[in-house]
Amino acid sequence: MLKELEISFIIPCKNEEDTIETCLNSVIEEGRKIKSFEVILVDNGSTDNTLKKVASYGEQVSLHILKNCSISALRNLGGRQAKFNWLAFIDADVELETCWAEGFASGLQKALKSGVPSERVLIGATYNNPQDPSWVQTAWYLQLESRDRIQTDYINGGNLVVHKELFNSVGGFNISCKTSEDVRFCKDAIVAGGKIIKEKQMRTIHYGYPKNLIGFFKRERWHGSGMEAYFYKPWASKEFLFAIYYMFFSCVFILALFFGKNIFFALILYILFLTLPILPLTIKRSKKKHFFQLLCLFMTYGFARCFSVIDIFFRKTSKLFK
């Protein structure tokens, strides 16, 4: 199977000088195991040494530059330029491990044996941690592994392989999505008859995930900007409703600080109400020794999404006064 595969590796990129060589080296190494491959890198206007490092690969990497656009547009350009039917979307801060190509072949064989046509397949896996991960990385990735044992409707956009026919049938990644474009793509692909295959052997290492709580907060606040599509219909998004829930009880707590008499009691109630919606998920996805760490991350996630909603509100209102 390996020697029959032809893959176009598509790497969106911006200011990734610290990881781009690791990414490209791993992609080229895995590409050499199959019949044919190409590497398409679409840069979003890097201002560091990324492009210099990419240039050192010469004709091994096809470089395209598309400035000031969404990651969806970068991926779509790569998909249009690809000459092979299998499109492998790999993020620039991701390293393919040495079992990746065999893992893809294994996942494809599983799909074919189950009667799914190759033209309808999406194959991939959740990222793995780098060596010596922080407690934030460890707790978060462990819960993602738990999620994957239950949820089969989503694959990270940085380690996803899809057939060009399915990619074209859904129109690629939705360019209206500022973030979570991979979630939307998977949903669109399933509606179009696509079948998601999660293959653990397609192992990758993700170097771009935050190592501390502040970085985690910033990342989730940025990711929350993708909720803008639900601003006028928040009931259609669990994330948006979760953010509103946190905002409501935060406002109640602030009022209690100014007008309440028993601040300690108000604080206990506040923490209780913040914990209630995330407790079942924390119990379900956490290892025992990481329970409180994951609970802390889910609470931080909630606060980050609150700020995302505030950011969206100010963007919307500022447009009205222009």
Side-chain angles (χ1 to χ4, degrees):
M1 172 76 70
L2 271 178
K3 294 303 179 181
E4 299 174 5
L5 294 173
E6 297 178 316
I7 301 177
S8 295
F9 291 93
I10 299 165
I11 305 172
C13 181
K14 184 174 183 180
N15 294 334
E16 298 286 358
E17 63 179 1
D18 292 334
T19 58
I20 191 60
E21 290 175 308
T22 299
C23 175
L24 290 175
N25 289 341
S26 69
V27 166
I28 292 170
E29 188 66 26
E30 291 304 286
R32 287 171 177 161
K33 297 178 181 179
I34 63 178
K35 179 181 177 181
S36 300
F37 77 100
E38 63 175 343
V39 182
I40 301 170
L41 189 141
V42 187
D43 186 80
N44 195 12
S46 291
T47 55
D48 60 1
N49 291 318
T50 298
L51 295 182
K52 290 182 180 179
K53 292 185 175 182
V54 172
S56 67
Y57 288 84
E59 295 182 355
Q60 292 183 94
V61 178
S62 175
L63 174 62
H64 303 268
I65 297 177
L66 190 64
K67 296 182 180 180
N68 302 319
C69 64
S70 66
I71 191 170
S72 293
L74 299 178
R75 288 182 172 140
N76 290 344
L77 175 59
R80 290 194 297 270
Q81 297 296 323
K83 64 182 180 182
F84 297 127
N85 282 328
W86 287 112
L87 310 178
F89 292 96
I90 308 296
D91 281 354
D93 57 1
V94 167
E95 177 184 7
L96 307 188
E97 295 197 40
T98 55
C99 56
W100 188 91
E102 289 86 353
F104 172 62
S106 174
L108 181 56
Q109 285 180 325
K110 289 177 184 177
L112 296 176
K113 286 181 181 179
S114 65
V116 181
S118 60
E119 294 83 3
R120 299 285 100 185
V121 173
L122 297 89
I123 306 176
T126 300
Y127 310 124
N128 294 296
N129 268 322
Q131 289 185 347
D132 301 320
S134 69
W135 71 267
V136 171
Q137 293 170 314
T138 300
W140 195 249
Y141 278 108
L142 283 175
Q143 70 90 18
L144 290 179
E145 289 178 0
S146 298
R147 177 201 67 184
D148 284 349
R149 287 193 288 268
I150 303 170
Q151 187 176 341
T152 57
D153 59 353
Y154 165 68
I155 298 175
N156 299 99
N159 183 25
L160 182 153
V161 185
V162 60
H163 196 279
K164 184 183 284 187
E165 182 175 312
L166 180 57
F167 178 81
N168 289 335
S169 69
V170 299
F173 290 86
N174 192 308
I175 60 173
S176 68
C177 296
K178 295 181 179 180
T179 62
S180 302
E181 75 292 335
D182 45 5
V183 177
R184 176 67 178 271
F185 178 77
C186 289
K187 288 181 179 179
D188 291 344
I190 290 172
V191 171
K195 174 68 175 179
I196 288 181
I197 304 293
K198 291 194 174 182
E199 179 51 63
K200 289 184 178 180
Q201 290 187 59
M202 289 176 64
R203 292 177 59 87
T204 57
I205 300 172
H206 187 205
Y207 294 102
Y209 209 80
K211 295 182 179 181
N212 55 54
L213 207 56
I214 294 175
F216 179 82
F217 175 89
K218 290 179 178 178
R219 180 183 177 87
E220 293 306 324
R221 180 178 180 178
W222 171 75
H223 264 296
S225 63
M227 298 189 300
E228 186 169 348
Y230 301 100
F231 187 76
Y232 296 112
K233 49 178 180 178
W235 58 87
S237 168
K238 291 181 180 179
E239 292 181 341
F240 209 112
L241 290 176
F242 181 55
I244 292 175
Y245 178 91
Y246 261 53
M247 288 180 68
F248 174 78
F249 283 104
S250 295
C251 291
V252 171
F253 177 65
I254 291 171
L255 289 174
L257 290 179
F258 283 98
F259 302 107
K261 295 181 180 180
N262 195 329
I263 303 301
F264 179 75
F265 182 68
L267 177 61
I268 295 299
L269 283 178
Y270 178 53
I271 295 174
L272 176 63
F273 280 111
L274 293 185
T275 305
L276 280 176
I278 60 176
L279 190 59
L281 191 61
T282 306
I283 294 173
K284 193 174 184 179
R285 292 189 181 180
S286 68
K287 305 291 184 180
K288 288 184 179 179
K289 64 179 181 180
H290 297 106
F291 175 83
F292 290 104
Q293 294 174 339
L294 185 57
L295 190 67
C296 175
L297 289 178
F298 279 143
M299 290 181 72
T300 304
Y301 175 96
F303 287 121
R305 293 308 168 101
C306 284
F307 278 85
S308 299
V309 172
I310 295 171
D311 294 337
I312 293 169
F313 173 79
F314 279 109
R315 281 200 300 270
K316 291 284 188 182
T317 54
S318 65
K319 291 178 182 178
L320 297 176
F321 295 101
K322 283 186 178 180

